[in-house]
């Protein structure tokens, strides 16, 4: 065959597998090109957002090329589910990691050597062992897929030392194509992956990082738990979601609060016993509608497609982290929410943490840049998505699906209030050994004669009571925004004492104007159905719910996550089209050969009964 014939044949094979095995109509985005590149034996670096469809990019080439596709993944706890999901599609997959006993490992190795596996998942630490090298030498390898490739980057937040040795793949098995994949998008990470994995000569596929189905919203934090409850009850009743908190204690407290209020919530943080963590994660994956309350220790590689919301109760430390975490919502492409509540205390706390963090000056500077970018996102008057994508080097136009687009905030000239506030800080700074945080300053501006103010004699200050034009919440907003803009600082004394910064001088002497953002009132949303159910027209809703019930029973019986049976998007497709024959059912996205055979009749019966 000529090269063109080979390419054409590869294309047909790939498309045939997409239809037959996965039950999908067409490739998405750059999938077709990437798959072609790897089938042809070339290397590829794939930067694609979460939910973009990275897995098919190595799964299909592994099925087309002779031999087994070896997938390096740091996510040991999820390998079982990945293998189960593939088995449900009729793909022969297995994994090797430290959770197995010797007998099980030997069984997998034997199948691998006998050429009976399409895909083998491997934990990176296994490559440190000589025995693994020997095993790979003796087998026929179709490709190496390096999943979560950003783990090789020290700049990022998920660094895994074992990833550094992955350059050995290329040196020892130069003729095996490699495909490295990640959903981390910054240029630094991208370059570091290329350098460390020696992928300079490989084809690079950089997708848009936009996640149009996710609605981004950031609101001021007043009563965070009540705000969270309103979000869940009002917009996501019965939906699966993730709530991120900064500390273990707040994880526990939040999970308890949700449970008391009738929401099925589970905690997850590094302080829990690993068996508890594992059990909670597995319930989150297997059952419908669980809310996981977690520190950022949770979530990497969680490929549950129907997470309908990701809520942050504390300010994330970087835009990169925030985008990764929110990206866990809505992998199935259906409407989802990314919601963040953030307040004055977050800024004070994070600035303080940076000041007292270990590491050199350069490290602190980096942390501080990360925080500034995150704050700029929170305080923007522009479209959130435009700003997020710009952070990843992408330009775009106002999205219409974020809070600032839907409910544009007003900007206002806050120069005078800022001057009043900063003058108060100046006056307090003259008092020796006194620590005054935001609340005390606001009390002075509002002319509150409380015990502390009177005791310190601050009711005779010239700025006492001059701030009546704003309410307490608004003043907190001013403090927060001045902190965010670097016009006000936090002392590293551990008390959150507010201090001037170099940039404050310009505000005080009137050479610098201060623009601030007025928080729009949150439009109260009427309680409604879950986000996905809301996309199913009323007449199809009862059938959709019946299908979900059937799926839950099936998942319980087989002890696999519900989405391994079918995703919401597929059930929605069935509820909408009401197929009456197996042929019609096979046309629906997500219904491949194996699942048609396993569930076709049952589904048709449910449709007919509905
Ligand atoms: P990623 O690993 O990039 O986060 P996945 O590989 O998990 O994304 O894919 C996200 C979801 O999209 C999965 O449910 C997957 O089955 C589905 N998907 C991927 N490619 C296609 C396609 N071409 N057509 C329809 N659905 C797809
Ligand atoms: Zn927008």
């Amino acid at each position: 065959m000529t090269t063109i014939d080979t390419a054409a044949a590869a294309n047909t094979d790939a498309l045939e597998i997409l239809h037959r095995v996965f039950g999908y109509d067409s490739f998405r985005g750059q999938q077709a090109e990437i798959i072609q590149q790897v089938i042809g034996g070339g290397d590829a670096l794939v930067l694609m957002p979460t939910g973009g469809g990275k897995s098919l990019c190595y799964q299909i080439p592994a099925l087309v090329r002779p031999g087994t596709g070896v997938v390096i993944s740091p996510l040991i706890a999820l390998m079982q589910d990945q293998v189960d999901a593939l088995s449900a599609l009729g793909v022969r997959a297995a994994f090797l990691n430290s959770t197995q006993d010797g007998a099980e490992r030997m069984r997998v190795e034997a199948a691998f050597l006998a050429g009976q596996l399409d895909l083998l998942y491997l934990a990176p630490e296994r490559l440190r062992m000589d025995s693994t090298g020997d095993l790979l030498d003796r087998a026929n390898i179709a490709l190496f897929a390096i999943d979560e490739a950003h783990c090789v980057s020290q700049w990022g937040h998920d660094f895994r030392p074992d990833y550094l040795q992955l350059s050995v793949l290329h040196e020892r098995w130069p003729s095996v194509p490699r495909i490295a994949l990640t959903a981390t998008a910054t240029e630094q990470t991208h370059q570091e992956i290329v350098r460390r994995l020696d992928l300079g000569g490989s084809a690079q596929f950089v997708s848009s990082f936009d996640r149009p189905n996710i609605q981004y919203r950031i609101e001021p934090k007043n009563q965070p738990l009540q705000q969270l409850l309103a979000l869940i009850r009002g917009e996501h009743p019965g939906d699966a979601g993730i709530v991120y908190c900064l500390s273990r204690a707040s994880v526990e407290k939040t999970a308890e609060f949700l449970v008391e209020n009738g929401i099925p919530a589970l905690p997850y943080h590094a302080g829990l016993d690993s068996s508890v963590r594992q059990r909670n994660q597995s319930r989150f994956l297997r059952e419908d509608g669980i809310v996981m309350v977690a520190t950022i220790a949770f979530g990497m590689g969680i490929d549950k497609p129907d997470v309908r919301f990701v809520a942050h109760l504390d300010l994330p430390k970087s835009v990169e982290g925030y985008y990764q975490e929110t990206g866990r919502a809505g992998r199935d492409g259906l409407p989802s929410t990314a919601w963040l509540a953030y307040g004055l205390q977050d800024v004070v706390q994070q600035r303080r943490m940076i000041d007292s963090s270990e590491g050199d000056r350069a490290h602190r500077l980096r942390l501080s840049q990360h925080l500034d970018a995150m704050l700029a996102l929170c305080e923007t008057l522009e479209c959130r998505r435009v700003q997020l994508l710009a952070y990843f080097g992408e330009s775009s136009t106002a999205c219409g699906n974020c809070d600032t687009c839907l409910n544009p905030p007003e900007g206002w000239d806050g120069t005078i209030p800022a001057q009043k506030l900063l003058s108060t800080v100046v006056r307090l700074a003259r008092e020796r050994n006194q620590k005054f945080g935001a609340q005390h300053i606001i009390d002075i501006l509002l002319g509150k004669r409380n015990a502390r103010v009177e005791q310190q004699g601050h009711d005779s200050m010239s700025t006492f009571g001059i701030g009546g034009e704003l309410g307490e919440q608004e003043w907190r907003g001013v403090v927060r925004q001045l902190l965010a803009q670097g016009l006000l600082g936090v002392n590293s004394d551990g008390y959150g004492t507010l201090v001037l910064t170099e940039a404050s001088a310009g505000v005080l002497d009137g050479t610098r104007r201060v623009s601030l953002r007025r928080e729009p009132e949150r439009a109260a949303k009427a309680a409604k159905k879950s986000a996905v159910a809301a996309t199913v027209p009323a007449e199809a809703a009862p059938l959709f719910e019946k299908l979900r019930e059937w799926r839950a029973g099936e998942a319980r019986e087989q002890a696999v996550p519900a989405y391994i049976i079918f995703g919401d998007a597929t059930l929605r497709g069935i509820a909408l089209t009401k197929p009456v024959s197996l042929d019609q059912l096979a046309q629906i996205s997500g219904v491949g050969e194996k699942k048609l055979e396993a569930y076709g009749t049952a589904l048709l019966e449910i449709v007919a009964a509905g």
Side-chain angles (χ1 to χ4, degrees):
M1 270 198 269
T2 68
T3 339
I4 294 179
D5 287 343
T6 320
N11 225 341
T12 328
D13 288 349
L15 206 55
E16 192 270 329
I17 289 174
L18 181 76
H19 296 318
R20 179 170 54 81
V21 178
F22 295 90
Y24 297 142
D25 303 335
S26 52
F27 286 115
R28 271 189 197 160
Q30 293 177 293
Q31 279 177 334
E33 288 107 291
I34 298 165
I35 289 170
Q36 182 108 62
Q37 162 80 3
V38 180
I39 291 178
D43 292 340
L45 172 59
V46 176
L47 275 66
M48 204 186 263
T50 308
K54 285 185 286 300
S55 331
L56 288 188
C57 296
Y58 59 82
Q59 289 167 349
I60 291 184
L63 290 168
V64 172
R65 287 176 61 88
T68 305
V70 174
V71 186
I72 316 293
S73 164
L75 308 163
I76 294 176
L78 298 168
M79 286 183 180
Q80 183 68 57
D81 285 346
Q82 283 170 322
V83 164
D84 286 346
L86 287 164
S87 307
L89 296 168
V91 176
R92 302 170 303 169
F95 61 83
L96 285 176
N97 68 33
S98 54
T99 65
Q100 291 161 308
D101 61 25
E104 177 61 14
R105 217 152 36 223
M106 273 169 62
R107 204 187 53 76
V108 171
E109 290 182 7
F112 178 45
L113 291 174
Q116 292 162 353
L117 292 180
D118 300 312
L119 282 153
L120 175 68
Y121 287 80
L122 206 60
E125 56 272 19
R126 298 208 77 75
L127 286 171
R128 243 186 289 138
M129 302 171 203
D130 291 340
S131 58
T132 306
D134 296 342
L135 179 74
L136 294 177
D137 267 338
R138 283 158 46 218
N140 187 7
I141 302 172
L143 57 87
F144 287 115
I146 302 169
D147 206 5
E148 312 288 350
H150 63 280
C151 290
V152 81
S153 158
Q154 272 151 334
W155 156 269
H157 42 96
D158 290 326
F159 176 60
R160 307 272 172 132
D162 280 321
Y163 261 59
L164 291 176
Q165 52 174 4
L166 293 183
S167 54
V168 71
L169 298 178
H170 181 46
E171 289 152 17
R172 188 155 169 187
W173 298 279
S175 62
V176 178
R178 294 172 302 155
I179 169 171
L181 313 103
T182 178
T184 298
T186 53
E187 192 53 27
Q188 273 111 328
T189 316
H190 180 171
Q191 292 315 330
E192 206 174 339
I193 296 172
V194 169
R195 191 158 46 82
R196 295 205 186 269
L197 295 179
D198 198 9
L199 283 167
S202 86
Q204 320 235 331
F205 299 90
V206 182
S207 301
S208 164
F209 270 71
D210 190 16
R211 300 288 308 282
N213 61 313
I214 299 182
Q215 183 175 93
Y216 293 94
R217 291 181 359 216
I218 301 180
E219 61 181 56
K221 180 148 93 178
N222 302 318
Q223 292 174 296
L225 292 177
Q226 292 301 337
Q227 287 169 281
L228 175 66
L229 191 61
L231 172 81
I232 299 178
R233 285 193 175 151
E235 298 171 54
H236 292 286
D239 282 346
I242 306 175
V243 179
Y244 282 112
C245 302
L246 210 55
S247 71
R248 296 173 186 186
S250 56
V251 164
E252 300 275 354
K253 192 179 85 184
T254 307
E256 271 167 35
F257 169 82
L258 290 178
V259 169
E260 280 163 15
N261 285 280
I263 312 281
L266 297 171
Y268 188 105
H269 58 71
L272 291 171
D273 195 59
S274 77
S275 65
V276 175
R277 264 197 331 256
Q278 184 62 39
R279 189 168 63 236
N280 289 356
Q281 168 169 308
S282 143
R283 280 193 59 195
F284 175 71
L285 294 175
R286 278 171 211 320
E287 297 172 28
D288 280 333
I290 301 260
V291 175
M292 187 66 114
V293 185
T295 59
I296 54 170
F298 176 76
M300 192 179 29
I302 291 289
D303 48 10
K304 184 176 169 63
D306 58 354
V307 175
R308 294 270 72 86
F309 68 93
V310 171
H312 282 87
L313 283 184
D314 295 299
L315 185 70
K317 293 194 176 74
S318 70
V319 175
E320 216 170 331
Y322 169 72
Y323 204 59
Q324 283 260 331
E325 286 141 28
T326 54
R328 290 166 189 150
R331 274 169 185 258
D332 54 11
L334 298 174
S336 307
T337 310
W339 179 88
L340 160 65
Y342 122 99
L344 167 58
Q345 212 44 45
D346 286 301
V347 194
V348 172
Q349 194 183 4
Q350 294 227 9
R351 288 244 194 270
R352 218 153 62 192
M353 262 158 46
I354 292 173
D355 280 336
S356 59
S357 83
E358 290 175 18
D360 53 9
R361 214 175 142 265
H363 176 68
R364 280 201 294 275
L365 186 64
R366 202 155 58 213
L367 292 177
S368 176
Q369 287 166 345
H370 278 316
L371 177 61
D372 287 343
M374 192 62 221
L375 291 172
L377 174 69
C378 291
E379 301 294 358
T380 187
L381 293 169
E382 310 294 324
C383 168
R384 305 273 189 209
R385 194 180 312 267
V386 165
Q387 184 136 345
L388 275 168
L389 292 174
Y391 184 78
F392 299 114
E394 239 180 286
S395 57
S396 59
T397 53
C399 73
N401 190 27
C402 73
D403 56 350
T404 52
C405 280
L406 292 169
N407 199 3
E410 230 177 279
W412 61 291
D413 185 335
T415 311
I416 291 175
Q419 287 170 336
K420 292 178 179 174
L421 197 136
L422 294 177
S423 333
T424 311
V425 173
V426 173
R427 285 177 174 78
L428 291 174
R430 295 194 195 122
E431 300 185 20
R432 225 164 279 155
N433 296 326
Q434 297 295 341
K435 329 268 186 209
F436 300 111
Q439 190 58 49
H440 188 68
I441 293 168
I442 293 171
D443 288 345
I444 293 172
L445 288 166
L446 290 176
K448 286 195 187 161
R449 280 204 169 73
N450 60 27
R452 184 131 194 257
V453 168
E454 287 191 341
Q455 190 190 345
Q456 302 287 338
H458 289 161
D459 47 351
S460 61
M461 272 174 71
S462 59
T463 57
F464 182 77
I466 62 167
E469 75 269 36
L470 300 179
E472 178 159 340
Q473 273 313 327
E474 291 167 301
W475 275 113
R476 291 182 75 80
V478 173
V479 176
R480 190 192 75 224
Q481 295 185 63
L482 291 177
L483 280 166
Q485 295 183 27
L487 296 174
L488 188 61
V490 183
N491 199 332
S492 47
D493 60 8
Y495 292 92
T497 305
L498 297 178
V499 293
L500 297 191
T501 64
E502 269 171 43
S504 308
V507 179
L508 282 167
D509 67 20
T511 54
R512 175 167 179 162
R513 313 295 303 171
V514 179
S515 15
L516 299 178
R517 173 188 208 277
R518 207 186 301 281
E519 275 84 26
E521 288 295 309
R522 198 169 102 89
K525 302 226 172 165
K528 52 179 182 200
K529 300 173 282 198
S530 87
V532 175
T535 69
V536 179
E539 69 273 13
L543 179 54
F544 179 68
E545 290 307 330
K546 275 210 191 93
L547 291 166
R548 278 170 62 122
E549 268 166 42
W550 164 82
R551 177 182 66 181
E554 213 41 68
R556 245 191 324 272
E557 201 165 294
Q558 297 181 37
V560 296
Y563 65 81
I564 286 185
I565 310 291
F566 281 116
D568 277 350
T570 303
L571 296 188
R572 184 173 171 274
I574 298 174
L576 289 179
T577 55
K578 302 190 174 56
V580 296
S581 68
L582 288 175
D583 276 349
Q584 285 179 10
L585 186 57
Q587 298 306 308
I588 292 163
S589 180
V591 184
E593 185 182 59
K594 181 88 189 282
K595 289 187 182 172
L596 186 69
E597 189 189 308
Y599 310 121
T601 321
L603 286 172
L604 290 179
E605 274 168 20
I606 297 170
V607 173

